[in-house]
Amino acid sequence: MKNKYFPEEDIEINDLYFVCYMIERVARHIKQKNKYVVNTIGKDGLYHLLSCANVLHCENPLKVEEDWIKDYALKASDYDITAVDKEMAAIVPSPLDMGAVYQRLIRDTMSSKENYVDGIIRVYNNDICEVIDNYNCSAFYEPSYVIARAYQNGGF
């Protein structure tokens, strides 16, 4: 996928990782599901963010969070993904961890005709995210090929 602003440059897999990481950070900050953040930002916004990711990753993540919230008019809610049963889930994965999970799932399930923007929208709007984002179970800890297979098979 080519950079929107510098067509001679490719958007790299690390740019996808950064955007997935920031989607997770922003969603946690405003207490929304990742799907809400992705769908509110939209295709054009995601393409812009992927094209700027190689610069944005140098910024303070708290500033990037606030900019995304303001620029895309993201609204707060009351969904707390980190509210887990402490007996079932001793550890809540970090936004970095979950950014990696989603980046790998997008990469592992992309078709040759798909770009990163389409992959982000497709994956984050799939029902499997409800399972992956349920930290009371261990789906997010599964190896990436297991998660990709579960995605392709319609569930775990």
Side-chain angles (χ1 to χ4, degrees):
M1 179 174 193
K2 294 295 181 187
N3 188 300
K4 180 177 186 175
Y5 305 107
F6 301 99
E8 67 281 355
E9 293 182 17
D10 287 327
I11 294 173
E12 303 291 336
I13 196 73
N14 284 337
D15 300 327
L16 174 62
Y17 172 55
F18 174 77
V19 169
C20 291
Y21 157 66
M22 287 308 303
I23 289 167
E24 186 73 29
R25 279 190 68 112
V26 168
R28 288 182 186 198
H29 182 91
I30 62 173
K31 297 194 181 303
Q32 288 275 11
K33 293 187 177 193
N34 293 333
K35 177 180 178 177
Y36 167 81
V37 174
V38 166
N39 292 335
T40 303
I41 291 173
K43 275 188 166 196
D44 291 339
L46 289 168
Y47 189 25
H48 164 75
L49 294 170
L50 283 163
S51 295
C52 296
N54 62 348
V55 175
L56 288 176
H57 82 272
C58 297
E59 295 280 338
N60 180 332
L62 294 172
K63 181 186 180 320
V64 176
E65 268 182 41
E66 292 304 321
D67 289 346
W68 283 27
I69 293 166
K70 181 179 62 105
D71 293 347
Y72 297 102
L74 299 169
K75 306 287 185 226
S77 186
D78 60 359
Y79 176 75
D80 187 1
I81 196 168
T82 63
V84 297
D85 181 340
K86 298 296 183 199
E87 290 183 24
M88 297 180 76
I91 298 172
V92 173
S94 73
L96 281 171
D97 295 333
M98 293 310 295
V101 168
Y102 279 105
Q103 175 263 328
R104 289 190 302 262
L105 180 57
I106 293 163
R107 180 198 63 205
D108 292 348
T109 60
M110 279 182 68
S111 74
S112 60
K113 296 177 183 171
E114 192 174 41
N115 62 40
Y116 290 146
V117 172
D118 295 333
I120 290 170
I121 292 169
R122 174 181 48 77
V123 165
Y124 281 104
N125 281 285
N126 191 284
D127 290 340
I128 201 164
C129 294
E130 294 292 328
V131 178
I132 294 171
D133 290 340
N134 178 357
Y135 301 152
N136 289 316
C137 72
S138 63
F140 63 91
Y141 275 130
E142 295 293 337
S144 57
Y145 72 90
V146 172
I147 297 172
R149 185 177 307 134
Y151 174 89
Q152 292 163 339
N153 291 337
F156 284 90

